[in-house]
Amino acid sequence: MMTSVAILGSTGSIGTQAIEVAQMHHLRVTALAANTRVDALVQQARILRPELLCIADEARYPALKEAAAGLGCRLLAGMEGLCEIAAHQSSEILLNSVVGMVGLRPTLTAIEAKKPIALANKETLVAGGAIVMDAAAKNNVPIYPVDSEHSAIFQCLQGNRRKQLKKIILTASGGPFFGKKKDELESITVEQALQHPNWSMGNKITIDSATLMNKGLEFIEARWLFDLTPDQIEIVVHRQSVLHSAVVYEDESMIGQMGVPDMKIPIQYALLYPERLSCPTKPLSLTDYGTLTFAKPDFETFDCLTACIRASEMGGSSPCIANGANEAAVAAFLARKIPFLQIGKLVNAAIDTLPSETLHCYEDVERADRMAREFVAEHLTM
Ligand code: MG
């Protein structure tokens, strides 16, 4: 079993829950990194005493220096700091739970350093799936999914023959606007979009859940993690978020993984794999739920989902473009610069307008991502 972990994105929703899991199982936390929240980061460092402490936003480095004085941690900043943590000698596994494309370079750095990765940063695989999976295979580095759906699929694959896998069922909660049509979504406010029925998460992923972009990103993520073709993935709306996903084998047996909607279960499975130890979560009572429901997604209303599936079929840099366009569009929505439905319009327009190119290296990914963000900035009021 792993005994030490480094955490990127430690003050976020996944990061704080991972710390809870680490404490329960006496994992040493060797390094912590946050994006902007210096105070929360230093608070964690006071308790965990990591060797390395990093603030990704370099402008806040002086504040970190002041707040962390006397803690005995080596202080780092920026992308260089994130990458130093990713390759840190004394951690056995890296939990990458940063939000967005920014997680890609640290992931690649960890792979080069032959560190197993618990991956919660889905944009890493969406934007750079080809180079990440290639590097992981070359360096023989395992990637353990933290995303609840992908953890479920990973769990359902244990003890079975991968080559007899027929397809996967990727479940979706449907988000807060399930059942609504486009005309009802026109005037959705930031506050309304930030309410999620089942999961409590960071702002970016909550908006992605409301647009179903999150499921689109997960569709692409699943393709890379499990080496699937698009027609091997069926998306099913399951409002209760109890069945976290399922797999179907050649004999038509469907095996699913269930649990209460609590990220601590997949986080712990990724950190302690293959151990299944007591987890700081609630037990699942099927009789408390009584009914579980399943429905087809509304691809027309939730056109971010459709954009991701199309981008995945287009291949090359198209998924990276969809992701970059979405990151920029979500930021614009949160800044109240564009209406809710504009996010989907921009993502679709970006993949249809920008050329899909083969991605050979990190720089190719970065260029496609930048083009997508520039496209969105220029077409905000499209
Ligand atoms: Mg998920």
Side-chain angles (χ1 to χ4, degrees):
M1 201 172 102
M2 297 292 173
T3 59
S4 56
V5 57
I7 303 176
L8 302 182
S10 67
T11 58
S13 165
I14 299 290
T16 51
Q17 295 181 81
I19 288 173
E20 221 182 302
V21 167
Q23 286 177 309
M24 177 160 178
H25 297 291
H26 310 289
L27 296 185
R28 199 157 53 86
V29 178
T30 53
L32 294 171
N35 186 22
T36 57
R37 293 164 62 191
V38 169
D39 291 343
L41 179 67
V42 171
Q43 191 61 35
Q44 293 177 332
R46 263 196 201 103
I47 298 161
L48 300 165
R49 298 290 169 150
E51 293 159 37
L52 306 180
L53 203 55
C54 173
I55 193 80
D57 177 4
E58 280 166 299
R60 297 181 200 237
Y61 183 67
L64 176 68
K65 241 176 135 175
E66 198 184 315
L71 281 181
C73 310
R74 202 148 68 74
L75 304 179
L76 308 164
M79 181 56 79
E80 244 167 74
L82 296 178
C83 289
E84 190 167 340
I85 288 181
H88 187 40
Q89 273 282 307
S90 55
S91 43
E92 288 173 318
I93 186 165
L94 172 74
L95 171 67
N96 185 351
S97 59
V98 304
V99 178
M101 227 301 268
V102 67
L104 178 56
R105 261 188 63 199
T107 297
L108 290 169
T109 306
I111 292 171
E112 293 289 319
K114 304 204 189 302
K115 296 278 175 206
I117 301 167
L119 188 65
N121 174 242
K122 63 189 79 182
E123 293 89 346
T124 282
L125 286 177
V126 172
I131 56 175
V132 170
M133 295 314 285
D134 194 46
K138 270 191 198 131
N139 288 283
N140 205 14
V141 168
I143 297 178
Y144 302 114
V146 171
D147 213 341
S148 61
E149 296 79 359
H150 305 76
S151 173
I153 293 157
F154 181 62
Q155 293 183 52
C156 295
L157 292 171
Q158 303 300 312
N160 289 288
R161 293 192 201 285
R162 170 61 186 81
K163 64 172 198 269
Q164 290 163 357
L165 176 72
K166 190 174 173 188
K167 60 183 268 194
I168 68 166
I169 309 288
L170 192 67
T171 53
S173 75
F177 306 134
F178 173 73
K180 294 212 187 309
K181 294 288 171 196
K182 274 200 171 155
D183 57 338
E184 298 170 89
L185 296 179
E186 258 161 20
S187 56
I188 289 297
T189 63
V190 170
E191 289 70 26
Q192 286 169 318
L194 285 176
Q195 302 291 329
H196 193 279
N198 302 337
W199 300 96
S200 107
M201 307 170 287
N203 282 355
K204 197 260 176 181
I205 187 172
T206 304
I207 301 301
D208 286 350
S209 297
T211 60
L212 294 204
M213 181 74 191
N214 184 53
K215 209 49 56 182
L217 297 175
E218 290 180 354
F219 180 97
I220 300 167
E221 188 187 6
R223 282 198 65 190
W224 289 115
L225 278 172
F226 307 113
D227 192 21
L228 301 164
T229 55
D231 60 345
Q232 282 180 297
I233 307 174
E234 182 184 353
I235 296 170
V236 172
V237 176
H238 166 48
R239 297 292 287 155
Q240 297 80 19
S241 300
V242 166
L243 175 70
H244 297 304
S245 278
V247 305
V248 180
Y249 288 99
E250 291 295 348
D251 63 354
E252 299 299 338
S253 259
M254 186 185 292
I255 299 180
Q257 185 260 336
M258 298 204 238
V260 290
D262 184 339
M263 287 306 295
K264 287 194 281 294
I265 301 173
I267 291 168
Q268 177 170 306
Y269 193 66
L271 292 180
L272 304 187
Y273 174 84
E275 301 295 334
R276 290 192 180 275
L277 305 179
S278 173
C279 183
T281 187
K282 284 201 301 248
L284 169 64
S285 164
L286 289 175
T287 50
D288 280 358
Y289 278 92
T291 307
L292 299 180
T293 60
F294 301 95
K296 288 194 166 83
D298 176 351
F299 289 105
E300 208 182 300
T301 303
F302 296 97
D303 56 0
C304 280
L305 176 58
T306 322
C308 286
I309 296 172
R310 290 201 300 120
S312 182
E313 283 162 354
M314 289 155 91
S317 58
S318 294
C320 176
I321 291 166
N323 178 67
N326 179 62
E327 284 193 34
V330 169
F333 172 68
L334 287 170
R336 294 160 211 271
K337 287 184 190 156
I338 58 168
F340 182 73
L341 288 178
Q342 189 73 3
I343 301 173
K345 274 189 212 160
L346 286 164
V347 174
N348 276 285
I351 60 168
D352 286 333
T353 310
L354 300 172
S356 184
E357 286 161 349
T358 310
L359 302 175
H360 298 286
C361 58
Y362 175 77
E363 286 68 29
D364 292 346
V365 178
E366 207 179 33
R367 189 172 346 101
D369 177 73
R370 194 171 51 239
M371 277 168 62
R373 287 167 199 267
E374 284 167 5
F375 177 87
V376 167
E378 286 158 17
H379 294 83
L380 276 183
T381 54
M382 185 183 69

